[in-house]
Amino acid sequence: MSVPANELGNPAHAIFERFLRAGECREVLACFVELCQQLGLQGSGLQLYHGLKAALNYWNAKALWSKLDKKAGHKDYDQGTACAGTKCLVVGAGPCGLREAIELALLGARVVLLEKRDSFSRNNVLHLWPFTIHDLRALGAKKFYGRFCTGTLDHISIRQLQLILLKVALLLGVEVHTNVRFEGLAPPTGKAGGWQAVLQPSSSPLTHYEFDVLISAGGGKFVPEGFKRKETRGKLAIGITTNFINRHSRAEVEVAEISGVARIYNQKFFQNLYNKTGIDLENIVYYKDDTHYFVMTAKKQSLLKKGVILQDKADIESLLSPENVNRDALLSYAKEAANFSTNYCLPELEFALNHRDLPDVDMFDFTCMTRSENAALVREHNGSRLLIGLVGDCLVEPFWPLGTGVARGFLAAFDAAWMVRRWAAGTPPLEVLAERESIYQHLSQTSPDNTNKNISQYSIDPTTRYSNINLQAIKASQVKDLYLVGMAEVDHKSKSDNRLSIAAPGAVCEELLSWCQASTAGYPGVAVTNFSTSWSSGLALCALIHRFRPDLVDFDSVDPQDAVQTHQAMLDIAEQELGIQPVLSSAEMATMTGPDHLDLITYLSHFYQVFRSSPEVEVSKKSLSPHHTRGAILFLSKLQKSRNLAHKRAQNSAQKDTEAKRSRRDAEPPRERTGENSDACYICGRRVYILERASAEGRFFHRGCFQCQRCGATLRLGDYAFNEEDGHFYCSLHYPNPPSTDLPQDEASALLDGDVDAAAHPPSDAGCSCVSPMEWAPSPLQPTPAAAQAGEEPGEIEDTADVGDMEEQELLAQPGGDVREEEVPRVEPQETAEEGEESGGRRKIILTPLEKLSLSTLNLTGEAEPEPPLKPDCLHLQAAPEALPALWQGQGAWKEEEEKIDMEKDLEESDSEEEEKEEEEGTGLGIMKELYPDPREEEKYPTWKRTLARRARESQMKRFCRAQAIQRRLEEIEVTFRELEQQGIKLEKLLRDENESLADQQTQWTNQLLYLVQKKNNLMTEESDLMIAVQELKLEEQQCQLDEKLRSYMNKEDTLKTAEDEKAEQEILKQLVEVVNKRNVLIQLQEEKRLSELRA
């Protein structure tokens, strides 16, 4: 961005060019002051902007004025008069504070912005949603920072973003004051006065500035008085950010970015990282900007073992205090993680420096995420009103792995600007507050998928951004407590959190007994009068299940003399067919005596929850709990059963030598079946109470004890393995391998992309071929080229967890019925609605296996802005193995059709603006490394291929964000489980106390305990739904890897392919078919669940 020779003689033009290029906050402010002095301009607001525009009319300045004029001409601003006369104070010059100041200036308000620092030093990189990129381009971001979001880039460093927004704010007349700290509010001293700020230093001339609106953008630790924070807590989460110097060398350019990879769906990558380095992470992200930016979530035990944290402490603040952190070990930890994740391809990693001139590495805690309960309030004192609004982190603290911080921060800034516009228009204060709170309800749920798609129409008007928003969802009468007169505080008592209240609705126990009596009436030998002896024979439970599911139980064939066997059969049926986990063992149920058995009451409440909506029996109108389908729990139970069978078959086939089996058993004797006692934990042996009780494989244990024996990872239904020989539970990754494939830890660490030598000796060549984490740690289904090089046939190496996949598909596909290959539902992209649904039926067409594969694979690339699905669509792809060679012969037609479709989509998405064309030509090489091995030949590749790279990256980012949202919610559920357990243990102890208590008190405690059990059931259902989403993510990741591998073979010339290559291609294609069929099963389950909820 240089000035032509004929413009160099104009000092103002030269100063303006220096202003545009300035890279430090102090330099920007100094250049702007010098520019205004050179032009003789004073004042602020849009008047200053018009003066600058009139004085600077050369070509480069004109290009910027045209963009800002187009922005200022929007009808919402009323030509800069919408907020004329309104005086605003914005606290904080972060991205959100600056963005808010810009909007208020465009509305015509006088805007003063305070910042306690005078430099921008945050190198950390922010992920940008499409609308934020469009918004910043509209403000002229490319004029200030030429590399802004070039090509497929969708991120920017915080420092660069602040510089862009600061320059725009200054040009629009915002008064920016640095080195000034906001300390609080000073109310009006008389009726003629206004609200002022208490500032440091107190000598600042702004201490006399009176304002009508205060916008706080000072970060999560600064929230004005009157706002209450709400906290959501997950399990301990420690984040690490680090920045390395980016020299922009060729070797650095070639390294692929990592939009995000998470343990929840790519365990093998993180296991390899741990085996090789001892570093244990949950996720990692890598972006290239001004620096090489890495952010990761580390496990505490790993930090302790590596000496990063010196001592384990219960208090998180003390745990991460500087005195308890070895700074050198932290630097080494971050550097090793960065090296491994980029396959050691970044040459000479050198830390960038922060504002303290220290290596830019930081460790932080994000266990607790906070948000304000309300977005705005009004204060009135001596007749003077002040509107206070929040934006940025002090409104909603972002969960960093989702990359939502700046996007939702901008949305909140627009919402606050709309609020100020309504305030300036004379709208009654309570109506302004009610509308602001109605909009605020949507903020935490927003994503690129559920906001309006036409981002070019976005404005401060919330209806242009949020779909189907109701601006009157909250009434003025509901926000009276947000209007404060005098210096009174907000009354938050009415908004107290009753999330874990144990006040039970009605006599639940009596209602449950009445329901059981009505459900079992008329069955011979069954007379339910209590919750103990009436059930010991097992007939009552048989009758209960038979009444609602006669297809599961043959009541007439039940032997009343064998109570233990009868109970065991019913427990198995309930678990495998109804999704109800056992609470008691069969032996305990057969020997119940005495008073009502708390465990049995708990167990039967699950049947009530499943069967109560059935029409066979008339039940009370009162419900024990909100209705939830248990289809997810049932599905996971069947999935777990199929996996157990697969593990057993794999183990039996690998251990044919009975002597080997015997020696293993002798070395480690099997554990006793202590799990038959439901009151004792199978794993730790301690007492396990009802609310903390979980079960699997007939064993009972604390939920907290259900961990992988080898790595300590939390296990959940549908995602564990049980070894009957040693009696231990494992995660699927650490299930003991047969002796022939078991590897020592140091050898397992070398299994990175199938190349043992490469992993054992990291490449030192800066120009080495670098791969993404997904290539770096291939899925179990992905064959490795190294295997063929070692003389093994492709496809020979398989993970033992995948043996028996066909059995798994057969078990899980039963609810879906038979599907003929010739007739399948019309296949469309996964995230679009099915047209046939609108007309009430499905259109069926005949697709060849080639067409099925083509459509399913094309779907993987995703759409640029997909619409939210009305219902899941099926990915039907079924081809017999013998049909694969014939199918593969049509690969040329597939490639041609794919190129045609992708090119058409790309042309439809192309931007007509000239700068968009320039950016398309400058696509980032690092992002496309997976598809383009040699960046020097980039121009040889067509546009559709560059589009494919962008979509693959978008798909990776979406998958990562979904995984992190699921992981966070699972952790929050785990914390809620613990809170429920503590209350349940206290109640159960009271009920089991031998001291006599009043009958009414006993009943109340029992009802409260059941109420907690029902809350736990609902959480378990939600947890199971999330685990199904996890399974879907894993399959999606596998399909992505296989598809990428397939493309690498497709891009190879046929004349260069060896026989091994062709065989590997067919093997990958076969595996791709299997993965797609598995995804089909999950989609069918989600559809059945959706239909069952509609019928309920």
Side-chain angles (χ1 to χ4, degrees), residues 3-4 7 12-14 16-17 20 55-63 65:
V3 183
E7 297 288 353
H13 293 178
F16 185 68
E17 288 297 322
L20 294 179
L56 299 170
N57 57 4
Y58 73 102
W59 67 273
N60 204 18
K62 282 183 178 180
W65 305 143

Side-chain angles (χ1 to χ4, degrees), residues 30-45:
C31 286
F32 189 74
V33 170
E34 184 182 355
L35 179 64
C36 290
Q37 291 175 348
Q38 178 68 34
L39 297 176
L41 297 175
Q42 294 181 344
S44 61

Side-chain angles (χ1 to χ4, degrees), residues 15-26:
I15 297 173
F16 185 68
E17 288 297 322
R18 282 197 288 116
F19 169 77
L20 294 179
R21 294 193 300 270
E24 298 291 339
C25 175
R26 289 185 290 266

Side-chain angles (χ1 to χ4, degrees), residues 129-132 134-135 407 411 414-415 439 442-443 445-471 864-868:
W129 291 4
F131 93 85
T132 54
H134 185 276
D135 176 67
L411 290 173
F414 299 158
D415 298 337
I439 299 169
H442 288 255
L443 185 63
Q445 306 301 322
T446 54
S447 70
D449 293 331
N450 60 23
T451 48
N452 287 336
K453 303 305 173 193
N454 192 356
I455 59 177
S456 63
Q457 299 300 315
Y458 278 21
S459 73
I460 60 173
D461 185 347
T463 60
T464 64
R465 293 175 278 118
Y466 304 111
S467 302
N468 305 318
I469 188 172
N470 180 8
L471 297 180
E865 288 296 330
E867 293 284 347

Side-chain angles (χ1 to χ4, degrees), residues 1063-1077:
K1063 190 169 184 179
E1065 281 181 300
Q1066 296 181 24
E1067 182 64 27
I1068 293 172
L1069 184 59
K1070 179 180 177 181
Q1071 293 169 357
L1072 186 60
V1073 170
E1074 293 174 355
V1075 170
V1076 172
N1077 285 338

Side-chain angles (χ1 to χ4, degrees), residues 734-1000:
H734 288 133
Y735 184 74
N737 290 325
S740 59
T741 59
D742 200 9
L743 291 173
Q745 184 172 349
D746 56 343
E747 290 184 25
S749 66
L751 291 180
L752 306 174
D753 203 24
D755 194 338
V756 177
D757 294 331
H761 307 284
S764 58
D765 185 4
C768 64
S769 177
C770 304
V771 293
S772 71
M774 273 54 75
E775 292 176 288
W776 184 243
S779 70
L781 290 177
Q782 181 174 334
T784 58
Q789 294 172 7
E792 294 174 342
E793 292 296 331
E796 253 182 11
I797 299 178
E798 294 182 359
D799 194 297
T800 56
D802 294 310
V803 177
D805 284 342
M806 295 307 294
E807 288 85 348
E808 181 177 315
Q809 291 179 35
E810 291 170 2
L811 280 168
L812 302 184
Q814 288 173 358
D818 295 331
V819 181
R820 291 184 355 198
E821 289 186 24
E822 296 82 355
E823 293 185 349
V824 295
R826 181 169 172 262
V827 180
E828 294 186 359
Q830 182 180 354
E831 298 186 357
T832 57
E834 195 167 301
E835 294 179 4
E837 191 70 16
E838 299 177 2
S839 59
R842 291 182 174 181
R843 295 171 52 196
K844 294 188 176 182
I845 60 174
I846 297 176
L847 296 177
T848 66
L850 173 62
E851 291 170 329
K852 297 175 191 176
L853 180 60
S854 177
L855 287 173
S856 66
T857 309
L858 286 176
N859 174 59
L860 183 65
T861 62
E863 291 75 36
E865 288 296 330
E867 293 284 347
L870 296 177
K871 62 183 246 2
D873 295 318
C874 291
L875 298 174
H876 280 277
L877 177 60
Q878 297 178 351
E882 58 271 14
L884 292 174
L887 189 155
W888 192 243
Q889 292 173 3
Q891 66 171 344
W894 173 22
K895 291 168 64 176
E896 292 174 2
E897 182 67 13
E898 182 182 22
E899 292 176 12
K900 180 180 178 181
I901 293 176
D902 274 344
M903 190 174 296
E904 290 174 354
K905 290 184 178 180
D906 185 74
L907 290 173
E908 291 172 0
E909 293 170 2
S910 61
D911 199 313
S912 58
E913 293 185 12
E914 182 176 338
E915 95 178 14
E916 297 293 329
K917 294 179 181 178
E918 295 172 359
E919 291 168 4
E920 185 69 26
E921 294 174 359
T923 306
L925 300 177
I927 298 168
M928 302 185 299
K929 178 62 184 174
E930 299 171 14
L931 294 175
Y932 308 134
D934 189 351
R936 290 172 296 184
E937 299 180 2
E938 177 190 350
E939 64 276 4
K940 297 181 181 180
Y941 295 97
T943 303
W944 71 267
K945 218 165 190 180
R946 290 196 293 250
T947 302
L948 184 63
R950 183 183 72 247
R951 291 179 179 174
R953 190 167 184 274
E954 289 172 354
S955 176
Q956 184 188 47
M957 185 64 191
K958 286 181 180 180
R959 189 159 54 252
F960 177 72
C961 289
R962 283 168 56 201
Q964 294 313 299
I966 291 170
Q967 182 69 35
R968 179 68 185 184
R969 182 55 189 153
L970 286 173
E971 292 173 355
E972 290 173 358
I973 288 175
E974 197 64 36
V975 171
T976 307
F977 268 132
R978 288 202 293 266
E979 294 172 351
L980 288 172
E981 287 168 2
Q982 293 302 314
Q983 297 185 47
I985 291 171
K986 187 183 298 184
L987 284 171
E988 189 173 346
K989 286 180 177 179
L990 290 172
L991 287 166
R992 295 185 187 277
D993 193 350
E994 294 181 358
N995 297 329
E996 293 293 332
S997 302
L998 295 176
D1000 290 344

